[in-house]
Amino acid sequence: MKVLNFGSLNLDYTYALSHIVREGETIAATDVSLNLGGKGFNQSVALARAGIPLYHAGLVGEEGLDFYDACETYGIKTDYMKTVTGRCGHTIIQVDSEGQNSIILFGGANQKNTKEYVDEVLSNFGTGDIILLQNEINELPYIIDQAFAKGMTIVLNPSPYNEAIEECDLGKVSIFILNETEGQQMTGMTTPTTIVSSLDASFSNAKVVLTLGKGGCIYHHGDEELYQAAFDVKAVDTTAAGDTFTGFFIAGIIKKVPMRQVLITASKAAALAVTKNGAAQSIPFMSEVELFEI
Ligand code: RIB
């Protein structure tokens, strides 16, 4: 069984501020850094740090070549990654004094996927292989259709949620991992319980994990429903907390760990990630997660 993450790679320009800039306001940042991120890249890093060998597919622009070296360092295979002309995907991230963020996303190379490139990548995968997807690249509906036709298991983190998700045949997805906002947007429901019930009614064969930030998470599949509380830490930067949870959650599923333990490990990993600045670089190793006690 092979694991493929077909996802975004962003250069994250992160600014530390007392508060998120309001309309019409100009404020001075107290710090700035340039980090490698993107929901796709971060989730690949999380899977790798949780001990899962994987391939990352996706496109970088001309100023994104550092991603190749970084993938090698993290142990992520880049055989199917490509460089295209033009700008790399990038973000402007504001992080306030409480560690909360707000993000402007420029798609760049992440929006230049073609059906030919998708076919080329997927020709290397088949039945029983796992594909992880987020919503920061174009051609998502086509990737889902083609991966499903090949018998791959599809894991979708529908983040950020927008109309592209509505064009996907979500009945082909085996595992959904989403936060409360995305759950509300996807279902029109407003409480965690009703969001989970609505997703279960629409996609009864799929496993669903609804993450609730400091409120923990809910796992639902068939007759099994588990709630897991979040681990209380001092947040420095919440960027990539969801990506960390996603990577460690999938790693637990792949390793066939009992679900309660999967949720505990993914929640601990996400808690550790928010205690550090940045995206990918804030993601802990499995060894750190195992040692983490409150
Ligand atoms: O989930 C965090 C990521 O979202 C950041 O790394 C940024 O690139 C945005 O895509």
Side-chain angles (χ1 to χ4, degrees):
M1 190 246 338
K2 291 190 278 191
V3 180
L4 168 67
N5 183 4
F6 204 141
S8 58
L9 303 114
N10 293 331
L11 296 171
D12 288 343
Y13 293 85
T14 302
Y15 297 85
L17 302 156
S18 55
H19 60 269
I20 306 294
V21 180
R22 300 185 189 104
E23 188 179 334
E25 186 185 35
T26 302
I27 51 173
T30 54
D31 197 11
V32 62
S33 57
L34 171 57
N35 301 306
L36 301 183
K39 292 183 194 306
F41 179 69
N42 297 338
Q43 292 179 22
S44 281
V45 171
L47 272 160
R49 292 212 148 163
I52 301 296
L54 81 151
Y55 293 87
H56 188 98
L59 303 175
V60 291
E62 286 148 354
E63 78 277 45
L65 301 182
D66 285 352
F67 278 106
Y68 290 92
D69 288 342
C71 282
E72 194 175 321
T73 306
Y74 285 115
I76 301 161
K77 297 186 193 103
T78 57
D79 306 40
Y80 314 124
M81 253 168 69
K82 268 195 174 170
T83 307
V84 292
T85 52
R87 299 293 303 270
C88 207
H90 71 259
T91 60
I92 292 175
I93 304 181
Q94 299 179 47
V95 179
D96 72 13
S97 55
E98 304 292 310
Q100 300 305 310
N101 67 37
S102 137
I103 301 179
I104 296 173
L105 170 66
F106 176 75
N110 296 309
Q111 296 297 321
K112 292 187 174 172
N113 293 287
T114 60
K115 292 189 171 53
E116 292 70 30
Y117 172 56
V118 172
D119 291 344
E120 188 185 315
V121 172
L122 294 186
S123 68
N124 300 287
F125 297 88
T127 306
D129 291 339
I130 294 178
I131 183 167
L132 169 60
L133 298 163
Q134 312 77 28
N135 188 30
E136 286 188 340
I137 59 170
N138 67 323
E139 294 293 358
L140 193 63
Y142 184 72
I143 299 173
I144 289 177
D145 289 345
Q146 297 308 306
F148 186 79
K150 284 180 159 286
M152 296 178 80
T153 299
I154 300 168
V155 183
L156 178 64
N157 170 221
S159 178
Y161 187 89
N162 60 32
E163 58 288 347
I165 295 292
E166 284 152 31
E167 289 164 26
C168 297
D169 185 349
L170 297 178
K172 294 175 176 170
V173 173
S174 294
I175 305 176
F176 291 97
I177 305 168
L178 69 175
N179 68 25
E180 197 171 359
T181 305
E182 292 144 7
Q184 287 174 1
Q185 292 167 311
M186 228 171 123
T187 63
M189 298 295 153
T190 52
T191 66
T193 316
T194 53
I195 291 168
V196 170
S197 301
S198 172
L199 289 169
D200 182 48
S202 302
F203 312 108
S204 56
N205 291 327
K207 295 180 168 70
V208 173
V209 190
L210 185 70
T211 59
L212 305 167
K214 284 183 190 165
C217 65
I218 300 170
Y219 167 81
H220 185 101
H221 183 223
D223 294 334
E224 187 180 22
E225 183 160 305
L226 298 172
Y227 169 75
Q228 176 60 47
F231 291 85
D232 192 21
V233 288
K234 165 107 184 68
V236 171
D237 181 355
T238 56
T239 312
D243 299 330
T244 305
F245 183 99
T246 297
F248 277 77
F249 178 84
I250 299 161
I253 298 253
I254 292 170
K255 294 179 190 169
K256 301 195 187 322
V257 174
M259 186 48 64
R260 171 60 68 195
Q261 192 54 46
V262 172
L263 297 176
I264 290 172
T265 303
S267 302
K268 282 186 175 181
L272 280 172
V274 308
T275 64
K276 292 192 183 148
N277 280 310
Q281 84 246 33
S282 70
I283 299 171
F285 287 96
M286 181 59 104
S287 52
E288 296 171 75
V289 177
E290 284 166 350
L291 289 174
F292 177 67
E293 293 296 340
I294 288 282

